[in-house]
PDB file of all heavy atoms in Angstrom:
ATOM      1  N   PHE E  20       0.927 -36.172 -16.358  1.00  0.00           N
ATOM      2  CA  PHE E  20       1.045 -35.511 -15.062  1.00  0.00           C
ATOM      3  C   PHE E  20       0.371 -36.331 -13.973  1.00  0.00           C
ATOM      4  O   PHE E  20      -0.506 -37.156 -14.232  1.00  0.00           O
ATOM      5  CB  PHE E  20       0.400 -34.124 -15.115  1.00  0.00           C
ATOM      6  CG  PHE E  20       1.272 -33.083 -15.780  1.00  0.00           C
ATOM      7  CD1 PHE E  20       1.411 -33.058 -17.164  1.00  0.00           C
ATOM      8  CD2 PHE E  20       1.943 -32.140 -15.035  1.00  0.00           C
ATOM      9  CE1 PHE E  20       2.221 -32.125 -17.777  1.00  0.00           C
ATOM     10  CE2 PHE E  20       2.761 -31.195 -15.641  1.00  0.00           C
ATOM     11  CZ  PHE E  20       2.889 -31.180 -17.020  1.00  0.00           C
ATOM     12  N   ILE E  25       2.436 -29.826  -3.536  1.00  0.00           N
ATOM     13  CA  ILE E  25       2.553 -28.419  -3.150  1.00  0.00           C
ATOM     14  C   ILE E  25       1.170 -27.790  -3.247  1.00  0.00           C
ATOM     15  O   ILE E  25       0.365 -28.149  -4.109  1.00  0.00           O
ATOM     16  CB  ILE E  25       3.561 -27.675  -4.067  1.00  0.00           C
ATOM     17  CG1 ILE E  25       3.847 -26.272  -3.513  1.00  0.00           C
ATOM     18  CG2 ILE E  25       3.057 -27.612  -5.503  1.00  0.00           C
ATOM     19  CD1 ILE E  25       4.969 -25.551  -4.265  1.00  0.00           C
ATOM     20  N   GLU E  31       2.273 -19.858  -4.968  1.00  0.00           N
ATOM     21  CA  GLU E  31       2.173 -18.408  -5.213  1.00  0.00           C
ATOM     22  C   GLU E  31       3.112 -17.629  -4.289  1.00  0.00           C
ATOM     23  O   GLU E  31       3.637 -16.580  -4.679  1.00  0.00           O
ATOM     24  CB  GLU E  31       0.723 -17.952  -5.045  1.00  0.00           C
ATOM     25  CG  GLU E  31      -0.180 -18.436  -6.164  1.00  0.00           C
ATOM     26  CD  GLU E  31      -1.574 -17.840  -6.114  1.00  0.00           C
ATOM     27  OE1 GLU E  31      -2.137 -17.722  -5.004  1.00  0.00           O
ATOM     28  OE2 GLU E  31      -2.103 -17.493  -7.177  1.00  0.00           O
ATOM     29  N   GLY E  42       7.323  -6.179  -3.715  1.00  0.00           N
ATOM     30  CA  GLY E  42       5.889  -5.892  -3.753  1.00  0.00           C
ATOM     31  C   GLY E  42       5.535  -4.755  -4.682  1.00  0.00           C
ATOM     32  O   GLY E  42       4.451  -4.187  -4.592  1.00  0.00           O
ATOM     33  N   GLN E  54       3.826  -4.919 -26.573  1.00  0.00           N
ATOM     34  CA  GLN E  54       4.584  -6.033 -27.119  1.00  0.00           C
ATOM     35  C   GLN E  54       4.570  -5.991 -28.635  1.00  0.00           C
ATOM     36  O   GLN E  54       3.572  -5.580 -29.247  1.00  0.00           O
ATOM     37  CB  GLN E  54       3.992  -7.370 -26.672  1.00  0.00           C
ATOM     38  CG  GLN E  54       4.242  -7.698 -25.213  1.00  0.00           C
ATOM     39  CD  GLN E  54       3.631  -9.032 -24.856  1.00  0.00           C
ATOM     40  OE1 GLN E  54       2.510  -9.087 -24.397  1.00  0.00           O
ATOM     41  NE2 GLN E  54       4.362 -10.110 -25.063  1.00  0.00           N
ATOM     42  N   GLU E  55       5.665  -6.437 -29.226  1.00  0.00           N
ATOM     43  CA  GLU E  55       5.717  -6.670 -30.668  1.00  0.00           C
ATOM     44  C   GLU E  55       5.510  -8.155 -30.937  1.00  0.00           C
ATOM     45  O   GLU E  55       6.114  -8.995 -30.275  1.00  0.00           O
ATOM     46  CB  GLU E  55       7.060  -6.236 -31.249  1.00  0.00           C
ATOM     47  CG  GLU E  55       7.172  -4.749 -31.503  1.00  0.00           C
ATOM     48  CD  GLU E  55       8.420  -4.388 -32.276  1.00  0.00           C
ATOM     49  OE1 GLU E  55       9.319  -5.239 -32.411  1.00  0.00           O
ATOM     50  OE2 GLU E  55       8.488  -3.235 -32.744  1.00  0.00           O
ATOM     51  N   LYS E  57       5.916 -10.808 -33.926  1.00  0.00           N
ATOM     52  CA  LYS E  57       6.516 -10.960 -35.260  1.00  0.00           C
ATOM     53  C   LYS E  57       6.152 -12.323 -35.832  1.00  0.00           C
ATOM     54  O   LYS E  57       6.357 -13.351 -35.193  1.00  0.00           O
ATOM     55  CB  LYS E  57       8.037 -10.817 -35.174  1.00  0.00           C
ATOM     56  CG  LYS E  57       8.727 -10.927 -36.531  1.00  0.00           C
ATOM     57  CD  LYS E  57      10.202 -10.565 -36.438  1.00  0.00           C
ATOM     58  CE  LYS E  57      10.986 -11.629 -35.703  1.00  0.00           C
ATOM     59  NZ  LYS E  57      12.446 -11.367 -35.739  1.00  0.00           N
ATOM     60  N   GLU E  88       0.732  -1.091 -38.659  1.00  0.00           N
ATOM     61  CA  GLU E  88       1.433   0.072 -39.218  1.00  0.00           C
ATOM     62  C   GLU E  88       1.274   1.287 -38.299  1.00  0.00           C
ATOM     63  O   GLU E  88       1.002   2.404 -38.742  1.00  0.00           O
ATOM     64  CB  GLU E  88       0.936   0.381 -40.632  1.00  0.00           C
ATOM     65  CG  GLU E  88       1.209  -0.760 -41.607  1.00  0.00           C
ATOM     66  CD  GLU E  88       0.756  -0.437 -43.018  1.00  0.00           C
ATOM     67  OE1 GLU E  88       0.121   0.614 -43.227  1.00  0.00           O
ATOM     68  OE2 GLU E  88       1.056  -1.251 -43.928  1.00  0.00           O
ATOM     69  N   LEU E 128      -8.562  -9.625 -14.990  1.00  0.00           N
ATOM     70  CA  LEU E 128      -8.109 -10.037 -13.666  1.00  0.00           C
ATOM     71  C   LEU E 128      -6.687 -10.571 -13.712  1.00  0.00           C
ATOM     72  O   LEU E 128      -5.904 -10.370 -12.777  1.00  0.00           O
ATOM     73  CB  LEU E 128      -9.067 -11.084 -13.095  1.00  0.00           C
ATOM     74  CG  LEU E 128     -10.434 -10.546 -12.661  1.00  0.00           C
ATOM     75  CD1 LEU E 128     -11.388 -11.685 -12.370  1.00  0.00           C
ATOM     76  CD2 LEU E 128     -10.301  -9.637 -11.445  1.00  0.00           C
ATOM     77  N   ASP E 151       6.899 -31.839 -23.214  1.00  0.00           N
ATOM     78  CA  ASP E 151       7.977 -31.597 -24.176  1.00  0.00           C
ATOM     79  C   ASP E 151       9.358 -31.712 -23.497  1.00  0.00           C
ATOM     80  O   ASP E 151      10.232 -30.851 -23.654  1.00  0.00           O
ATOM     81  CB  ASP E 151       7.827 -30.227 -24.830  1.00  0.00           C
ATOM     82  CG  ASP E 151       6.615 -30.161 -25.751  1.00  0.00           C
ATOM     83  OD1 ASP E 151       6.099 -31.235 -26.119  1.00  0.00           O
ATOM     84  OD2 ASP E 151       6.196 -29.045 -26.100  1.00  0.00           O
ATOM     85  N   ASN E 162     -13.235 -22.263 -14.913  1.00  0.00           N
ATOM     86  CA  ASN E 162     -14.429 -21.507 -14.576  1.00  0.00           C
ATOM     87  C   ASN E 162     -15.622 -22.157 -15.268  1.00  0.00           C
ATOM     88  O   ASN E 162     -15.466 -22.749 -16.346  1.00  0.00           O
ATOM     89  CB  ASN E 162     -14.313 -20.047 -15.029  1.00  0.00           C
ATOM     90  CG  ASN E 162     -13.595 -19.187 -14.007  1.00  0.00           C
ATOM     91  OD1 ASN E 162     -13.675 -19.441 -12.802  1.00  0.00           O
ATOM     92  ND2 ASN E 162     -12.895 -18.164 -14.462  1.00  0.00           N
TER      93      ASN E 162
END
Side-chain angles (χ1 to χ4, degrees):
F20 281 76
I25 189 173
E31 289 188 319
Q54 287 180 267
E55 279 189 347
K57 181 171 71 173
E88 298 182 354
L128 288 169
D151 291 343
N162 275 329

